Amino acid sequence: MKIASVKSHVLRYELPETLGYSQQYYTHRTAHLVEVRTDQGIVGWGECFGPGNVALANKAIVENVIAPMIEGESALKRDVIWHKVYNLLRDHGQKGMPLQAMSGVDIALWDIAGKAANLPVHALLGGAHRDRVAVYGYGMMLRPEPVAELAARFEDEAASIRDAGFVATKMKIGLGVRDDIRLATAVRKGVGDDYRFMADANHCYTTSDALAMGRALDELDAYWFEEPVAPEDHDGYRELRMALKTNIAGGEAEYNRWGWRALLECRGLSIAQPEVCALGGISEYQRVLALCHAHFTPVVNHVWGSAIAVATNLQLLAAMPDLPGGLHPWEPMLEFDTTHNAFRDDMLESSLDIQSQVKGSNGYVSVPDGAGLGVVPDEKFIKHHTVN
Ligand code: CA
């Protein structure tokens, strides 16, 4: 079975409201899907991390750089293909967009392998360690409004995410330490004392400001402090982890086994957040997961994007061994965006319906057991939202 064609679809729609994080506000949602067709009619789907114009640039890498390298190759030799493409791209980028582009292609090849074997991806990976996964809901995005209004909004939103059944919630911060403490205090008030919340800075702090914010999060009994400082600042990560009680989480901006080796060796992560649609796809994720577990660092995948990314992560979370294992083991969670996301909720022929599963089963969602990723995208929907 040979690869016949590799095509990217960049989708976009205008959000009903402006959302933001510590680096920017945004008005549109984008997704970048990769469709790999074989000469035997099997079609695989993958997704590349990278919003907005980054998706358009990644589309050019997928279609103009990677596709000519792999068309005509055996579709089942995904690890051979991974190394061929990486070796040819190494001189042009060992992190960032070339890896994001490779990720979508690799995920599509795993979808094809599952469909060819009539097995879900988690079975190809060695079997499901769990048939359901806990889900945390993130929301509480920044908005261009005064901090008092934002704090009131965060308090209400945190309570509604808890009431929707999610096992934990995550907020954005990024206004500076004083205002961020105000926002985090509002979220703690909104969810009450017995509920987990996390704070995501998207690397906007200096180490000393992160230390001040982290001490406030310690007082508020936050569960984790995500991307407190720049991803390159391994020393900052290590210093924060040594100084704070709150778990330090990060890694969504790290790539491949070599980047992850250095990040893990700095000992600055309490919880690792690999992004399968960015770091190199499922093939490389498996190696990064092994590295994380070799460093006894638990993993909660970073999840962003469409239903393809969510389905991919459900397969990976199902196939993730317990670390360290036990009668009541530490469990990973699925990250779930509670803001408007038509590419996740409306893109499949049969929806994953995460929100109603979460509501009906105390925050858990089942793992798709169809072949490959276990989901079927609605091609009419994709065509309708395609911008390229
Ligand atoms: Ca994040």
Side-chain angles (χ1 to χ4, degrees), residues 170 172 200 202 226-227 252 302:
K170 187 167 84 184
K172 292 294 188 190
D200 185 358
N202 294 94
E226 178 169 326
E227 287 204 296
E252 68 187 80
H302 178 262

mmCIF file with all atom_site columns, all heavy atoms in Angstrom, residues 170 172 200 202 226-227 252 302, ligand 1:
data_model
loop_
_atom_site.group_PDB
_atom_site.id
_atom_site.type_symbol
_atom_site.label_atom_id
_atom_site.label_alt_id
_atom_site.label_comp_id
_atom_site.label_asym_id
_atom_site.label_entity_id
_atom_site.label_seq_id
_atom_site.pdbx_PDB_ins_code
_atom_site.Cartn_x
_atom_site.Cartn_y
_atom_site.Cartn_z
_atom_site.occupancy
_atom_site.B_iso_or_equiv
_atom_site.pdbx_formal_charge
_atom_site.auth_seq_id
_atom_site.auth_comp_id
_atom_site.auth_asym_id
_atom_site.auth_atom_id
_atom_site.pdbx_PDB_model_num
ATOM   1  N  N   . LYS A 1 170 ? -8.791 25.138 34.301 1.00 0.00 ? 170 LYS A N   1
ATOM   2  C  CA  . LYS A 1 170 ? -7.546 25.894 34.105 1.00 0.00 ? 170 LYS A CA  1
ATOM   3  C  C   . LYS A 1 170 ? -7.861 27.279 33.586 1.00 0.00 ? 170 LYS A C   1
ATOM   4  O  O   . LYS A 1 170 ? -8.718 27.442 32.711 1.00 0.00 ? 170 LYS A O   1
ATOM   5  C  CB  . LYS A 1 170 ? -6.647 25.160 33.115 1.00 0.00 ? 170 LYS A CB  1
ATOM   6  C  CG  . LYS A 1 170 ? -5.256 25.769 32.966 1.00 0.00 ? 170 LYS A CG  1
ATOM   7  C  CD  . LYS A 1 170 ? -4.321 24.821 32.215 1.00 0.00 ? 170 LYS A CD  1
ATOM   8  C  CE  . LYS A 1 170 ? -4.471 24.956 30.723 1.00 0.00 ? 170 LYS A CE  1
ATOM   9  N  NZ  . LYS A 1 170 ? -3.647 23.974 29.987 1.00 0.00 ? 170 LYS A NZ  1
ATOM   10 N  N   . LYS A 1 172 ? -6.302 31.294 32.345 1.00 0.00 ? 172 LYS A N   1
ATOM   11 C  CA  . LYS A 1 172 ? -5.165 32.039 31.810 1.00 0.00 ? 172 LYS A CA  1
ATOM   12 C  C   . LYS A 1 172 ? -4.782 33.128 32.798 1.00 0.00 ? 172 LYS A C   1
ATOM   13 O  O   . LYS A 1 172 ? -5.638 33.699 33.483 1.00 0.00 ? 172 LYS A O   1
ATOM   14 C  CB  . LYS A 1 172 ? -5.536 32.683 30.471 1.00 0.00 ? 172 LYS A CB  1
ATOM   15 C  CG  . LYS A 1 172 ? -5.773 31.698 29.343 1.00 0.00 ? 172 LYS A CG  1
ATOM   16 C  CD  . LYS A 1 172 ? -4.518 30.945 28.958 1.00 0.00 ? 172 LYS A CD  1
ATOM   17 C  CE  . LYS A 1 172 ? -4.729 30.104 27.703 1.00 0.00 ? 172 LYS A CE  1
ATOM   18 N  NZ  . LYS A 1 172 ? -3.583 29.179 27.471 1.00 0.00 ? 172 LYS A NZ  1
ATOM   19 N  N   . ASP A 1 200 ? -2.256 29.097 33.737 1.00 0.00 ? 200 ASP A N   1
ATOM   20 C  CA  . ASP A 1 200 ? -1.384 28.999 32.560 1.00 0.00 ? 200 ASP A CA  1
ATOM   21 C  C   . ASP A 1 200 ? -0.905 30.397 32.182 1.00 0.00 ? 200 ASP A C   1
ATOM   22 O  O   . ASP A 1 200 ? -1.691 31.252 31.781 1.00 0.00 ? 200 ASP A O   1
ATOM   23 C  CB  . ASP A 1 200 ? -2.182 28.375 31.403 1.00 0.00 ? 200 ASP A CB  1
ATOM   24 C  CG  . ASP A 1 200 ? -1.329 28.125 30.170 1.00 0.00 ? 200 ASP A CG  1
ATOM   25 O  OD1 . ASP A 1 200 ? -0.128 28.455 30.178 1.00 0.00 ? 200 ASP A OD1 1
ATOM   26 O  OD2 . ASP A 1 200 ? -1.891 27.582 29.186 1.00 0.00 ? 200 ASP A OD2 1
ATOM   27 N  N   . ASN A 1 202 ? 1.465  30.981 29.801 1.00 0.00 ? 202 ASN A N   1
ATOM   28 C  CA  . ASN A 1 202 ? 1.994  31.048 28.429 1.00 0.00 ? 202 ASN A CA  1
ATOM   29 C  C   . ASN A 1 202 ? 3.328  31.818 28.375 1.00 0.00 ? 202 ASN A C   1
ATOM   30 O  O   . ASN A 1 202 ? 3.511  32.717 27.566 1.00 0.00 ? 202 ASN A O   1
ATOM   31 C  CB  . ASN A 1 202 ? 0.970  31.643 27.454 1.00 0.00 ? 202 ASN A CB  1
ATOM   32 C  CG  . ASN A 1 202 ? -0.247 30.745 27.284 1.00 0.00 ? 202 ASN A CG  1
ATOM   33 O  OD1 . ASN A 1 202 ? -1.263 30.919 27.971 1.00 0.00 ? 202 ASN A OD1 1
ATOM   34 N  ND2 . ASN A 1 202 ? -0.160 29.753 26.429 1.00 0.00 ? 202 ASN A ND2 1
ATOM   35 N  N   . GLU A 1 226 ? 1.462  26.576 34.857 1.00 0.00 ? 226 GLU A N   1
ATOM   36 C  CA  . GLU A 1 226 ? 1.868  26.122 33.519 1.00 0.00 ? 226 GLU A CA  1
ATOM   37 C  C   . GLU A 1 226 ? 2.659  27.192 32.774 1.00 0.00 ? 226 GLU A C   1
ATOM   38 O  O   . GLU A 1 226 ? 2.286  28.355 32.777 1.00 0.00 ? 226 GLU A O   1
ATOM   39 C  CB  . GLU A 1 226 ? 0.599  25.748 32.741 1.00 0.00 ? 226 GLU A CB  1
ATOM   40 C  CG  . GLU A 1 226 ? 0.827  25.289 31.312 1.00 0.00 ? 226 GLU A CG  1
ATOM   41 C  CD  . GLU A 1 226 ? -0.436 24.682 30.706 1.00 0.00 ? 226 GLU A CD  1
ATOM   42 O  OE1 . GLU A 1 226 ? -1.215 24.035 31.445 1.00 0.00 ? 226 GLU A OE1 1
ATOM   43 O  OE2 . GLU A 1 226 ? -0.655 24.865 29.490 1.00 0.00 ? 226 GLU A OE2 1
ATOM   44 N  N   . GLU A 1 227 ? 3.719  26.771 32.100 1.00 0.00 ? 227 GLU A N   1
ATOM   45 C  CA  . GLU A 1 227 ? 4.588  27.655 31.324 1.00 0.00 ? 227 GLU A CA  1
ATOM   46 C  C   . GLU A 1 227 ? 4.832  28.995 32.025 1.00 0.00 ? 227 GLU A C   1
ATOM   47 O  O   . GLU A 1 227 ? 4.519  30.062 31.478 1.00 0.00 ? 227 GLU A O   1
ATOM   48 C  CB  . GLU A 1 227 ? 4.016  27.889 29.924 1.00 0.00 ? 227 GLU A CB  1
ATOM   49 C  CG  . GLU A 1 227 ? 4.146  26.683 29.000 1.00 0.00 ? 227 GLU A CG  1
ATOM   50 C  CD  . GLU A 1 227 ? 4.138  27.075 27.531 1.00 0.00 ? 227 GLU A CD  1
ATOM   51 O  OE1 . GLU A 1 227 ? 3.112  27.589 27.063 1.00 0.00 ? 227 GLU A OE1 1
ATOM   52 O  OE2 . GLU A 1 227 ? 5.163  26.872 26.846 1.00 0.00 ? 227 GLU A OE2 1
ATOM   53 N  N   . GLU A 1 252 ? 4.727  22.200 26.065 1.00 0.00 ? 252 GLU A N   1
ATOM   54 C  CA  . GLU A 1 252 ? 3.977  22.244 24.807 1.00 0.00 ? 252 GLU A CA  1
ATOM   55 C  C   . GLU A 1 252 ? 4.789  22.868 23.679 1.00 0.00 ? 252 GLU A C   1
ATOM   56 O  O   . GLU A 1 252 ? 4.501  22.637 22.508 1.00 0.00 ? 252 GLU A O   1
ATOM   57 C  CB  . GLU A 1 252 ? 2.648  22.998 24.991 1.00 0.00 ? 252 GLU A CB  1
ATOM   58 C  CG  . GLU A 1 252 ? 2.808  24.477 25.247 1.00 0.00 ? 252 GLU A CG  1
ATOM   59 C  CD  . GLU A 1 252 ? 1.476  25.145 25.591 1.00 0.00 ? 252 GLU A CD  1
ATOM   60 O  OE1 . GLU A 1 252 ? 1.029  25.056 26.745 1.00 0.00 ? 252 GLU A OE1 1
ATOM   61 O  OE2 . GLU A 1 252 ? 0.899  25.758 24.699 1.00 0.00 ? 252 GLU A OE2 1
ATOM   62 N  N   . HIS A 1 302 ? -0.682 18.063 26.271 1.00 0.00 ? 302 HIS A N   1
ATOM   63 C  CA  . HIS A 1 302 ? -1.240 19.325 25.802 1.00 0.00 ? 302 HIS A CA  1
ATOM   64 C  C   . HIS A 1 302 ? -2.178 19.014 24.635 1.00 0.00 ? 302 HIS A C   1
ATOM   65 O  O   . HIS A 1 302 ? -1.819 18.259 23.741 1.00 0.00 ? 302 HIS A O   1
ATOM   66 C  CB  . HIS A 1 302 ? -0.106 20.242 25.326 1.00 0.00 ? 302 HIS A CB  1
ATOM   67 C  CG  . HIS A 1 302 ? -0.579 21.551 24.786 1.00 0.00 ? 302 HIS A CG  1
ATOM   68 N  ND1 . HIS A 1 302 ? -0.728 21.800 23.441 1.00 0.00 ? 302 HIS A ND1 1
ATOM   69 C  CD2 . HIS A 1 302 ? -0.953 22.677 25.421 1.00 0.00 ? 302 HIS A CD2 1
ATOM   70 C  CE1 . HIS A 1 302 ? -1.163 23.041 23.268 1.00 0.00 ? 302 HIS A CE1 1
ATOM   71 N  NE2 . HIS A 1 302 ? -1.305 23.593 24.443 1.00 0.00 ? 302 HIS A NE2 1
HETATM 72 CA CA  . CA  B 2 .   ? -0.752 26.130 27.731 1.00 0.00 ? 1   CA  B CA  1
#
